[in-house]
Amino acid sequence: MNKKVLAINSSKRKRNTYGLLIDIKDQLKKINIEVEIINLHDYNIEICTGCESCILKDKCFLDDDMDMLMNKLQQYDGIILSTPIYLNNISGKLKIFIDRTCRWVHRPAITGIPIMNVVTTSFSGIYNTLKYMDNVAIQWGAFPTDNISRKVTTIEDKVQPKEYKNFVKHIMMDKKLYKPSIQQLIYFSVSKVLAQKVIKRDSKYWEEKDWLSKKYFYDAKINIFKKIIANKFYRMIYKKVKL
Ligand SMILES: Cc1cc2nc3c(=O)[nH]c(=O)nc-3n(C[C@H](O)[C@H](O)[C@H](O)COP(=O)(O)O)c2cc1C
């Protein structure tokens, strides 16, 4: 069966970022990966009101397309997040969307799904923007892989297969062979402590998922050094956070 990827664009116009997504879609089709492109501007996504009900009660009182979108993201083998760079960071539309996924930081729902980031800019902001986007993928419990970027000077350059090699590899690969980074393991530890000691909703969810006794969301390749560091970090924050 063909693998399915969801590509999320967050520029209101169909220009530079969209063009890159089309190129990637055409290329992935040739290796039997279907890419569906959606644009956040086609959906009703309200700004987070800051009530924290999603975190504490697992309910958002805003009536819009976010539940549908968050369910949709869970149906794919891979996700491409894309944005034009605005003021050296992601577009406002993408940020509004990400803010509304806050419950996933506590109760991850797309664990292990490979994410590839695609950004376009005139000149600046690539490093900063991609670093932030990678961090979001990690906080979601997803798996950051490749990052593709273009500037005004390189926008006509076709995407090269080596630029999405890691993304494709992870889509095809058994999760047991994934190698989570130390940052991913640390975020896992922080969320686990929150689930054990701070937020009741999280502890029920983490118990159901059977994550509380785990080193990571799923069996993966974690070398001994990473295990030791992550375990030390976990024990340290477990001690510091009071019930
Ligand atoms: C509001 C706004 C802010 C921007 N900020 C930056 C910036 O900080 N650095 C930069 O090099 N280009 C900046 N740009 C240029 C866009 O990142 C660039 O044109 C991008 O490729 C547009 O993508 P799109 O065609 O998919 O909308 C900005 C453009 C806009 C409209």
Side-chain angles (χ1 to χ4, degrees):
M1 205 173 67
N2 284 3
K3 297 286 184 183
K4 293 183 308 173
V5 164
L6 182 68
I8 301 172
N9 192 9
S10 60
S11 169
K12 199 166 171 79
R13 54 187 209 164
K14 284 187 171 171
R15 198 85 61 89
N16 299 343
T17 317
Y18 182 74
L20 267 188
L21 293 181
I22 291 289
D23 187 10
I24 293 166
K25 178 183 164 110
D26 291 346
Q27 295 195 36
L28 292 190
K29 197 179 166 83
K30 291 180 190 147
I31 51 170
N32 295 327
I33 297 178
E34 293 293 331
V35 178
E36 177 187 342
I37 303 176
I38 62 167
N39 193 312
L40 293 180
H41 287 275
D42 294 335
Y43 297 91
N44 176 20
I45 304 173
E46 301 285 339
I47 292 179
C48 173
T49 61
C51 72
E52 297 193 6
S53 168
C54 67
I55 301 171
L56 302 173
K57 299 181 185 150
D58 213 27
K59 266 197 190 97
C60 178
F61 296 101
L62 295 170
D63 183 16
D64 62 5
D65 292 330
M66 264 318 280
D67 274 350
M68 183 273 291
L69 283 171
M70 285 172 75
N71 284 333
K72 188 172 174 67
L73 258 70
Q74 296 172 47
Q75 314 304 320
Y76 293 81
D77 303 297
I79 294 168
I80 301 174
L81 270 190
S82 80
T83 184
I85 290 180
Y86 289 168
L87 284 290
N88 290 341
N89 216 313
I90 59 173
S91 67
K93 192 73 182 180
L94 183 57
K95 184 65 167 71
I96 290 170
F97 171 78
I98 288 171
D99 289 350
R100 294 286 307 286
T101 63
C102 192
R103 74 178 75 166
W104 281 355
V105 176
H106 294 267
R107 298 178 294 279
I110 53 169
T111 50
I113 296 188
I115 295 206
M116 176 163 78
N117 299 313
V118 172
V119 301
T120 70
T121 177
S122 292
F123 298 102
S124 68
I126 292 175
Y127 176 79
N128 188 51
T129 307
L130 289 175
K131 196 169 168 218
Y132 174 71
M133 292 168 85
D134 269 348
N135 195 265
V136 169
I138 291 173
Q139 291 194 67
W140 282 343
F143 207 90
T145 59
D146 288 311
N147 290 321
I148 298 182
S149 62
R150 290 290 183 274
K151 295 181 184 174
V152 77
T153 47
T154 54
I155 196 69
E156 301 296 339
D157 294 356
K158 284 260 167 223
V159 175
Q160 299 298 310
K162 65 175 184 221
E163 292 181 277
Y164 53 72
K165 189 174 148 212
N166 209 21
F167 179 57
V168 169
K169 187 174 101 181
H170 280 83
I171 287 174
M172 302 298 179
M173 198 161 128
D174 190 324
K175 286 193 184 24
K176 279 191 185 133
L177 299 172
Y178 280 23
K179 292 179 184 166
S181 65
I182 193 72
Q183 201 189 355
Q184 284 171 278
L185 297 171
I186 285 175
Y187 264 104
F188 176 82
S189 298
V190 173
S191 306
K192 188 157 94 172
V193 173
L194 288 177
Q196 284 168 307
K197 292 199 163 188
V198 184
I199 300 173
K200 275 202 190 112
R201 280 267 161 196
D202 295 6
S203 75
K204 198 167 158 259
Y205 186 86
W206 279 63
E207 247 167 50
E208 279 165 14
K209 294 277 181 189
D210 197 22
W211 289 337
L212 290 172
S213 59
K214 297 266 168 70
K215 299 263 175 272
Y216 198 56
F217 299 112
Y218 42 84
D219 289 339
K221 278 193 157 181
I222 306 173
N223 77 34
I224 185 77
F225 299 109
K226 283 187 191 169
K227 254 186 209 160
I228 292 170
I229 295 168
N231 197 33
K232 268 204 165 166
F233 189 84
Y234 168 75
R235 291 216 305 254
M236 187 185 77
I237 41 175
Y238 189 87
K239 251 195 214 161
K240 284 217 159 130
V241 177
K242 300 277 173 253
L243 270 175

